[in-house]
Amino acid sequence: MNNPAPGLTMNKWLLLLLVTLAFGISGYQRWLQQDWLALGAVITAWLIVIWLIQRHRRQGAAVLAVEITSLKSQLQLDGDLLRIADESWPRQAISQVEMGVIDQQRAYLYLTIEPEPTSAETAERTRKFLIPYAEYELVRQQLSAALPNARWLLP
């Protein structure tokens, strides 16, 4: 299970290691050539990449920042409503469904939900789920039958 609390996860460590190695090798080559302007550019680019990784993780925009959730027993169709755990949405309000596979253990589901005409909300919202890979096909079949009018984004 991924820990949504701040800190360095294995994915983040691996990404930081690869970025540091790539920029380190490039920087060393520039050092040997005494190309100081290019060395400064490599160091600046490395710092920008590190900053972007940190910002992306802090915003929680990455699906890997979400905890793995089993939807097998939580996904229910109740009349015109789609229920997942303690949340529910009208099926017509779900305008877009995006599903994909991350690896052999994890898959993701994004539901884009349009605001209801009676609510004060004006912006659509996206609900993100990180699901076990074993449930991917079952969840896809259930949602495709339940949401025929939604736009589907599949890899």
Side-chain angles (χ1 to χ4, degrees):
M1 222 185 264
N2 289 334
N3 184 3
L8 293 178
T9 62
M10 184 58 99
N11 290 331
K12 190 173 179 182
W13 272 109
L14 181 61
L15 188 57
L16 287 173
L17 176 66
L18 291 175
V19 166
T20 302
L21 285 174
F23 283 112
I25 291 168
S26 180
Y28 181 69
Q29 290 172 343
R30 302 295 164 231
W31 177 269
L32 291 177
Q33 295 172 357
Q34 294 186 352
D35 189 356
W36 305 119
L37 187 58
L39 179 62
V42 166
I43 292 172
T44 303
W46 178 70
L47 291 173
I48 290 171
V49 167
I50 298 299
W51 176 75
L52 287 172
I53 292 169
Q54 298 287 353
R55 190 183 88 179
H56 187 70
R57 296 293 293 190
R58 263 194 313 274
Q59 291 175 346
V63 72
L64 297 176
V66 179
E67 187 173 322
I68 292 178
T69 306
S70 174
L71 296 184
K72 193 184 320 183
S73 62
Q74 297 182 28
L75 181 64
Q76 299 172 355
L77 298 172
D78 188 18
D80 197 31
L81 293 177
L82 173 69
R83 293 185 189 279
I84 297 179
D86 58 349
E87 297 182 76
S88 65
W89 309 278
R91 287 198 260 177
Q92 290 75 24
I94 300 173
S95 62
Q96 182 172 296
V97 179
E98 180 179 347
M99 290 189 75
V101 175
I102 297 171
D103 56 31
Q104 292 183 352
Q105 295 177 351
R106 301 169 295 177
Y108 67 90
L109 166 66
Y110 287 176
L111 298 174
T112 302
I113 303 157
E114 299 289 331
E116 294 181 46
T118 58
S119 74
E121 287 184 42
T122 58
E124 64 184 26
R125 56 195 159 109
T126 301
R127 188 66 175 88
K128 302 175 184 180
F129 298 95
L130 185 62
I131 62 175
Y133 172 74
E135 295 180 9
Y136 175 81
E137 194 58 35
L138 175 70
V139 169
R140 187 187 64 74
Q141 289 173 359
Q142 284 181 320
L143 289 177
S144 63
L147 305 170
N149 298 328
R151 189 173 100 195
W152 279 80
L153 302 175
L154 295 170

